[in-house]
Amino acid sequence: EVEAELRAYAAMQPTPVTLKDILSAKNTRSLAKFLHGEVPIRIAERLNRIETDLPGWQQNESIRQVHESLRRSFVALRRVRSDENLEEFTQVVSDVIWEEKPAVVTMARGLCQLRAELGEKRFSCAFTDAFLDGFLLNRIGSNVLMSQYLAFQGHVIPAGDGANERTGIIDVNCDPSQICRQVADEVADICEEKTGL
């Protein structure tokens, strides 16, 4: 039953979600309904990537752990209801985020092991980068959606001194390019201080 459901969800396409979409989602019930259908699609996509793109994944303990964790998350999200009391659904969403927390390090370790075992010809830097880009972008998108939902359910991030305006987990006044410029300036200062250049 789970295998058939996973195949069906892996065949679906994730719904593209913009920052504007995330910021405009104010109704927790409709966000829960969206997550209930959307996050399993994204998880099934990650599971499918592991199964189709990583030969020998079943023999690699690290990748098998990530696969098993994703599978548990998929089953938990598909079994919980999102149409009545949101308390149980909210707990499952929180559990999924925590369940998958070590996935990045564990997957990276597993890919390094596969590369060592099967060689650079099969697991080139380009292949590994492309695999991780797709896998991690999918995971980040899922986590942003789930974290935004949790923020609206009471796991609110405080706005600080009032200068920042937060909508869920997103600081609408954040300027990433300004942050990058500041970091670049700080790195240049450190380089100049250490090297004289």
Side-chain angles (χ1 to χ4, degrees):
E1 178 185 335
V2 173
E3 292 304 320
E5 200 171 11
L6 274 167
R7 281 192 302 277
Y9 272 78
M12 298 177 191
Q13 292 295 313
T15 304
V17 181
T18 66
L19 186 58
K20 183 179 179 180
D21 295 333
I22 293 170
L23 291 172
S24 66
K26 303 285 187 198
N27 181 320
T28 55
R29 192 160 300 283
S30 63
L31 185 54
K33 185 177 178 181
F34 176 73
L35 288 179
H36 193 248
E38 181 67 20
V39 174
I41 293 170
R42 293 168 184 246
I43 291 173
E45 183 177 74
R46 277 180 270 161
L47 285 164
N48 189 52
R49 287 184 68 106
I50 290 171
E51 293 168 2
T52 58
D53 294 349
L54 301 179
W57 71 267
Q58 300 95 328
Q59 287 76 44
N60 184 287
E61 184 178 339
S62 296
I63 295 175
R64 197 173 59 247
Q65 286 174 2
V66 173
H67 188 278
E68 290 168 0
S69 173
L70 287 167
R71 188 180 167 91
R72 282 191 300 272
S73 295
F74 178 87
V75 170
L77 283 165
R78 292 304 304 141
R79 300 300 174 253
V80 69
R81 295 181 60 128
S82 66
D83 56 354
E84 294 176 12
N85 181 345
L86 293 178
E87 190 173 314
E88 186 180 355
F89 179 76
T90 302
Q91 185 59 54
V92 168
V93 169
S94 180
D95 292 347
V96 165
I97 289 174
W98 282 103
E99 168 88 18
E100 295 182 24
K101 198 168 179 83
V104 174
V105 172
T106 308
M107 179 57 79
R109 182 182 320 113
L111 285 173
C112 286
Q113 292 164 346
L114 278 180
R115 187 174 181 174
E117 293 165 13
L118 301 176
E120 286 187 37
K121 187 172 185 174
R122 176 61 182 101
F123 286 93
S124 66
C125 287
F127 170 83
T128 304
D129 286 349
F131 178 86
L132 283 174
D133 280 350
F135 188 88
L136 296 176
L137 284 173
N138 177 305
R139 181 179 184 276
I140 290 166
S142 297
N143 282 0
V144 166
L145 292 170
M146 291 187 292
S147 296
Q148 181 74 354
Y149 168 78
L150 290 176
F152 282 133
Q153 284 300 99
H155 303 262
V156 179
I157 300 169
D161 61 6
N164 296 330
E165 181 185 339
R166 291 196 186 270
T167 303
I169 63 167
I170 299 167
D171 180 349
V172 295
N173 293 320
C174 178
D175 182 352
S177 60
Q178 178 186 358
I179 292 169
C180 289
R181 283 191 297 275
Q182 283 179 294
V183 170
D185 290 344
E186 289 173 16
V187 169
D189 290 346
I190 292 170
C191 287
E192 184 177 346
E193 181 181 308
K194 298 292 182 187
T195 65
L197 300 175

